[in-house]
């Protein structure tokens, strides 16, 4: 492990432009279940229908009633999100950003924990559960800025349909976030890939593009993933332990 931490830290310090991609595994130590694997929500309840967005557009009032009174897997997820706090993994990434080693973080997580940990250059590719977004003008609002008496609620700016900022299955990634992710991934020659099974696109495509350009991937995951074969270094443990250890090694070698 010592050698891997050294190798990972040297990759970060020798790279020209480092970014991170994170997934549900990063928030497991904050009490939020992952989606796949042994304790995954989808493993337990089954994958949700892939046409979530179509169903939202077909009956937005019903979708909002379900959103405001979630059942089954969504109940478990929203309850865990409400209680969660950032863990040492989130804080280590925020500190690497503050040190100028990490340039940006692309997260698939909707849990707001990176922001709470102080991340600045953050791209939430699947949205943020504390925000509401207009499907027409893409304006975003804090949850409590919106009045839910009339369902579906309407955009205060353009009158468009409002939905949770979280990206539903079958929904296109909002163009502003996707553009930002693409810019960062195109610039990067090194990526920390923490807590993701790397099975959902377009997010999973970014590390592969970096590896195919000859860039370095550093995987932080207790279990192998679809990306392991592309990785320069693997830190096979919980991100709440591996990322602080990596941060310390970077400090020591800098
Ligand atoms: N630390 C680091 N990684 C962990 C930890 C931990 N403590 N515990 C589990 N993992 C790893 C698992 O081995 C797995 O590879 O985290 C990964 C979680 O994978 P998924 O549950 O598939 O989550 P993710 O990759 O984020 O899913 C992508 O799928 O369902 C959609 O929109 C949802 O954003 C999500 C997307």
């Amino acid at each position: 492990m010592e050698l891997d931490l050294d190798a990972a830290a040297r990759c970060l310090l020798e790279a020209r432009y480092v970014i991170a991609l994170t997934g549900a595994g990063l928030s497991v130590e904050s009490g939020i279940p992952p989606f796949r694997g042994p304790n995954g929500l989808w493993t337990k309840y089954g994958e949700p229908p892939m046409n979530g967005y179509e169903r939202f557009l077909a009956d937005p009032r019903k979708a909002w009633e379900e959103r405001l009174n979630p059942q089954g897997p969504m109940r478990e997820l929203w309850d865990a999100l409400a209680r969660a706090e950032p863990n040492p993994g989130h804080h280590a990434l925020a500190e690497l950003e503050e040190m100028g080693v990490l340039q940006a973080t692309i997260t698939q997580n909707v849990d707001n924990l990176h922001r709470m940990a102080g991340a600045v250059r953050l791209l939430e590719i699947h949205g943020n559960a504390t925000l509401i977004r207009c499907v027409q003008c893409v304006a975003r609002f804090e949850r409590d800025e919106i009045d839910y008496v009339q369902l579906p609620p309407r955009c205060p700016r353009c009158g468009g349909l409002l939905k949770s900022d979280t990206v539903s299955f079958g929904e296109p990634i909002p163009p502003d976030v996707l553009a930002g992710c693409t810019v960062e991934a195109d610039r990067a020659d090194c990526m920390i890939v923490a807590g993701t099974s790397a099975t959902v696109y377009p997010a999973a495509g970014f590390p592969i593009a970096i590896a195919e350009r000859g860039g370095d991937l550093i995987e932080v995951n207790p279990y192998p993933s679809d990306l392991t074969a592309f990785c320069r270094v693997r830190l096979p443990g919980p991100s709440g332990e591996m990322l602080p250890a990596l941060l310390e090694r970077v400090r020591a070698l800098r």
Side-chain angles (χ1 to χ4, degrees), residues 97-142:
E97 186 183 359
E98 206 176 331
M99 286 166 71
V101 172
L102 182 66
Q103 305 306 320
T105 297
I106 300 172
T107 187
Q108 299 166 87
N109 301 342
V110 300
D111 55 34
N112 202 43
L113 296 182
H114 280 293
R115 280 178 197 232
M116 289 164 73
V120 178
R121 181 73 182 135
L122 178 67
L123 295 146
E124 295 164 310
I125 192 168
H126 295 160
N128 183 309
T130 69
L131 299 177
I132 306 295
R133 173 171 34 90
C134 173
V135 297
Q136 206 163 295
C137 72
V138 200
R140 291 179 180 83
F141 307 91
E142 297 291 335

Side-chain angles (χ1 to χ4, degrees), residues 22-26 28-29 34-37 40 42 47 108-109 126 167 169 194-200 220-225 237-240:
T22 68
L26 192 79
V28 163
E29 293 149 272
F35 298 98
R36 298 169 189 83
W42 306 157
E47 286 251 359
Q108 299 166 87
N109 301 342
H126 295 160
V167 175
F169 279 105
T196 183
S197 60
T199 51
V200 173
V220 182
N221 194 325
Y223 310 101
S225 75
S239 47

Side-chain angles (χ1 to χ4, degrees), residues 17-216:
Y17 200 89
V18 179
I19 66 172
L21 174 69
T22 68
L26 192 79
S27 300
V28 163
E29 293 149 272
S30 295
I32 302 176
F35 298 98
R36 298 169 189 83
N39 314 314
L41 277 175
W42 306 157
T43 312
K44 191 171 165 187
Y45 293 97
E47 286 251 359
M50 288 300 124
N51 62 348
Y53 190 50
E54 217 180 289
R55 292 154 63 111
F56 171 82
L57 294 175
D59 190 345
R61 181 193 173 86
K62 180 162 173 280
W64 267 103
E65 281 161 357
E66 285 169 2
R67 170 70 194 80
L68 296 173
N69 182 28
Q71 302 302 319
M74 297 322 285
R75 164 104 267 157
E76 189 170 330
L77 183 59
W78 291 111
D79 287 351
L81 291 178
R83 290 189 299 269
E85 298 285 335
N87 66 56
H90 296 100
H91 290 294
L93 289 174
E95 285 181 52
L96 283 170
E97 186 183 359
E98 206 176 331
M99 286 166 71
V101 172
L102 182 66
Q103 305 306 320
T105 297
I106 300 172
T107 187
Q108 299 166 87
N109 301 342
V110 300
D111 55 34
N112 202 43
L113 296 182
H114 280 293
R115 280 178 197 232
M116 289 164 73
V120 178
R121 181 73 182 135
L122 178 67
L123 295 146
E124 295 164 310
I125 192 168
H126 295 160
N128 183 309
T130 69
L131 299 177
I132 306 295
R133 173 171 34 90
C134 173
V135 297
Q136 206 163 295
C137 72
V138 200
R140 291 179 180 83
F141 307 91
E142 297 291 335
R143 255 187 318 221
D144 50 19
E145 285 181 81
I146 302 299
D147 177 348
Y148 302 99
V149 176
Q150 293 290 334
L151 294 181
R154 291 280 163 183
C155 175
R157 253 188 234 159
C158 77
L161 191 54
L162 291 177
K163 72 178 287 295
S164 166
D165 183 42
T166 53
V167 175
S168 309
F169 279 105
E171 181 178 0
I173 304 289
D176 53 345
V177 178
L178 187 58
C181 292
T182 308
V183 166
E184 293 300 338
D186 287 350
R187 283 182 183 152
D189 62 342
C190 182
M191 179 183 251
I192 299 169
V193 184
T196 183
S197 60
T199 51
V200 173
Y201 287 75
F206 297 131
I208 293 173
I210 292 168
E212 282 172 354
R213 282 199 314 264
D216 291 329

